[in-house]
Amino acid sequence: MNLTKSDIENLEHKKRLNIINSVSGIKPANLIATKSKDGQTNVAIFSSVFHLGSNPALLGFIMRPAGEVPRHTYENIKETGFYTVNHVPITIVDRAHYSSAKVDRSISEFERCGLTEEYANGFHAPFVRECHLKMGLSLVEEIPIAVNNTIMIIGQIEELIIPDQAVDEKGYIDLSLFNTAGISGLNNYYSLKREASFPYARPDEIPDFGT
Amino acid sequence: MNLTKSDIENLEHKKRLNIINSVSGIKPANLIATKSKDGQTNVAIFSSVFHLGSNPALLGFIMRPAGEVPRHTYENIKETGFYTVNHVPITIVDRAHYSSAKVDRSISEFERCGLTEEYANGFHAPFVRECHLKMGLSLVEEIPIAVNNTIMIIGQIEELIIPDQAVDEKGYIDLSLFNTAGISGLNNYYSLKREASFPYARPDEIPDFGT
């Protein structure tokens, strides 16, 4: 299937959404959890979390247009400055998926989706107990992306909780040891299997690939 | 393992790189290919490509600090306005990985890494023949991220090539049907297996999760 820019524009709306949301490749499955100043918690699945830098340790994620629909995650982050990012294990992708439903602000998706709030190290926002790798972040910056009215949220990792047995002496983390899931499109969930590791690629150490 | 912000700062440099590059979750494995105005091609692996929007169809990716080391990909994108993004199948992750080695500008990583340039639909930049899902993009915008001196490159999809059998009537794409790989950290490659699909999550259709 070969599609040009105008073919893509002319696709039926839902089909375009499904196709174009898949073409970046596999996406991480993370639950982002927050708590408003008055104590109302919120948790929602995001597939747009990405690595931005290691020192300082920064993650970014993309928020859809503000104002379009209520964005409790965004409001709570703005109000408190804190949020958690929690890897979704493949065993709870059903619960995680339904956290995307737009429920009333007074209802916590934790309760609605059978997820458990967990508080650790005095961090304001709740972690998700069912997740194994989880992080507490503080808001660093939001960058508006004018071209499609989205917002990139940048946060610094304040707290990092990783299962000990999943980290080796080099700091390699095997995501499959704690069943971290991937997403393609808006609806499809994948399990992961580590197949290969390679050393840092130096020009004089490139193998002979038979060329 | 529980690490605070200062624990992270105090990690040995390489260990910090490995750990923090893994905590966003699974990352997509893409080869970005370019061609300079004078015809020199370049291809390099990136794990930072992310979905930004479906209409227009936009992808973003993160470039490390410009000026730190030569960035042939960046220079060619700036010079020509075009690049391709190609999903790496798990079968060629070795070749793809070594494209990150910093070889001299006059050497094409295509040749050095046993990858094949492919030209289609009159698009300026080369696609990677060994990849099955591939896209031609035009540069839309670059957004400097001041906090760590990186740059977000935003491009619009001009050409999209997908294996027919991997797309169903809804537009769902099964990445495992053409062996698209995932990455964690800087060095670890994963195969993907689709495990579950769920419908769009409506508030009144959330299953009873036993709460």
Side-chain angles (χ1 to χ4, degrees):
Chain A
M1 181 188 287
N2 283 26
L3 300 173
T4 63
K5 181 165 65 172
S6 67
D7 294 335
I8 294 169
E9 286 163 2
N10 292 327
L11 284 170
E12 185 273 322
H13 171 69
K14 278 188 190 162
K15 193 161 187 176
R16 182 175 59 232
L17 269 182
N18 287 326
I19 291 178
I20 301 302
N21 270 279
S22 295
V23 297
S24 61
I26 192 71
K27 302 185 284 188
N30 284 297
L31 286 164
I32 296 185
T34 55
K35 187 171 71 173
S36 70
K37 274 193 178 161
D38 61 8
Q40 181 64 49
T41 59
N42 182 274
V43 60
I45 193 162
F46 282 82
S47 64
S48 63
V49 174
F50 58 91
H51 171 81
L52 197 54
S54 297
N55 192 19
L58 300 174
L59 298 180
F61 74 98
I62 304 295
M63 290 288 307
R64 309 305 311 161
E68 197 180 67
V69 292
R71 297 289 171 189
H72 304 146
T73 299
Y74 179 65
E75 290 162 14
N76 290 346
I77 291 174
K78 291 283 285 180
E79 185 176 294
T80 67
F82 295 105
Y83 55 108
T84 69
V85 173
N86 308 264
H87 283 206
V88 177
I90 193 76
T91 47
I92 64 156
V93 288
D94 52 349
R95 289 163 194 245
H97 178 76
Y98 281 94
S99 70
S100 60
K102 292 175 183 66
V103 300
D104 191 81
R105 199 185 206 296
S106 65
I107 298 169
S108 173
E109 296 85 0
F110 275 105
E111 196 178 334
R112 196 70 187 78
C113 295
L115 298 167
T116 314
E117 296 173 28
E118 181 178 79
Y119 293 89
N121 307 338
F123 199 75
H124 175 80
F127 297 92
V128 179
R129 178 166 295 162
E130 289 77 7
C131 300
H132 306 297
L133 191 155
K134 28 203 169 190
M135 294 167 277
L137 288 95
S138 58
L139 176 63
V140 170
E141 192 176 355
E142 48 177 312
I143 297 181
I145 300 175
V147 64
N148 68 347
N149 196 28
T150 53
I151 301 171
M152 178 167 55
I153 306 285
I154 300 175
Q156 176 158 10
I157 302 172
E158 303 280 339
E159 301 284 340
L160 172 57
I161 302 168
I162 316 177
D164 286 334
Q165 72 281 11
V167 188
D168 74 11
E169 72 287 349
K170 289 183 198 160
Y172 287 6
I173 297 176
D174 186 343
L175 299 176
S176 59
L177 285 181
F178 47 101
N179 295 320
T180 288
I183 299 179
S184 79
L186 298 162
N187 308 76
N188 294 286
Y189 293 85
Y190 293 71
S191 60
L192 313 174
K193 183 171 169 234
R194 187 157 73 165
E195 301 279 0
S197 293
F198 301 103
Y200 178 81
R202 296 177 205 286
D204 57 350
E205 293 170 3
I206 300 178
D208 178 2
F209 288 118
T211 59
Chain B
M1 181 190 286
N2 283 27
L3 300 173
T4 63
K5 179 164 66 172
S6 66
D7 294 335
I8 294 170
E9 285 163 2
N10 293 325
L11 284 170
E12 185 272 324
H13 171 67
K14 280 188 189 162
K15 193 161 186 173
R16 182 175 57 233
L17 270 182
N18 286 326
I19 289 178
I20 301 302
N21 269 279
S22 295
V23 295
S24 61
I26 193 69
K27 301 185 286 188
N30 284 298
L31 285 164
I32 297 186
T34 55
K35 187 171 72 172
S36 69
K37 273 193 180 162
D38 62 8
Q40 179 63 50
T41 59
N42 183 274
V43 60
I45 192 162
F46 282 81
S47 63
S48 63
V49 174
F50 57 92
H51 171 82
L52 196 54
S54 296
N55 191 21
L58 299 174
L59 299 180
F61 73 99
I62 304 294
M63 290 287 308
R64 309 304 310 160
E68 198 181 65
V69 290
R71 298 289 170 189
H72 305 145
T73 299
Y74 179 64
E75 290 162 15
N76 290 347
I77 291 174
K78 291 283 284 181
E79 187 178 292
T80 67
F82 295 105
Y83 55 107
T84 69
V85 173
N86 308 264
H87 283 207
V88 176
I90 193 76
T91 47
I92 63 155
V93 287
D94 53 349
R95 292 165 191 243
H97 178 75
Y98 281 95
S99 70
S100 60
K102 293 174 183 66
V103 299
D104 190 80
R105 199 183 207 298
S106 66
I107 299 170
S108 172
E109 295 85 0
F110 275 104
E111 196 178 334
R112 195 70 187 78
C113 296
L115 298 166
T116 313
E117 298 173 26
E118 181 177 79
Y119 293 90
N121 307 338
F123 199 73
H124 174 79
F127 297 92
V128 179
R129 177 166 296 163
E130 289 77 7
C131 300
H132 307 296
L133 190 156
K134 28 203 171 191
M135 294 166 277
L137 288 95
S138 59
L139 176 64
V140 170
E141 191 177 356
E142 48 177 311
I143 297 182
I145 300 175
V147 63
N148 69 347
N149 196 28
T150 52
I151 301 171
M152 178 166 55
I153 306 285
I154 300 175
Q156 177 159 9
I157 302 172
E158 302 280 339
E159 300 284 340
L160 171 57
I161 302 168
I162 315 178
D164 286 334
Q165 73 280 12
V167 189
D168 74 11
E169 72 287 350
K170 290 183 198 160
Y172 287 5
I173 297 177
D174 186 344
L175 300 177
S176 60
L177 285 182
F178 47 101
N179 294 320
T180 287
I183 299 181
S184 79
L186 298 162
N187 309 76
N188 295 287
Y189 294 85
Y190 292 71
S191 60
L192 313 174
K193 183 172 170 234
R194 188 157 72 166
E195 301 279 0
S197 292
F198 301 103
Y200 179 80
R202 297 179 203 285
D204 56 351
E205 292 170 3
I206 300 178
D208 178 2
F209 289 118
T211 58

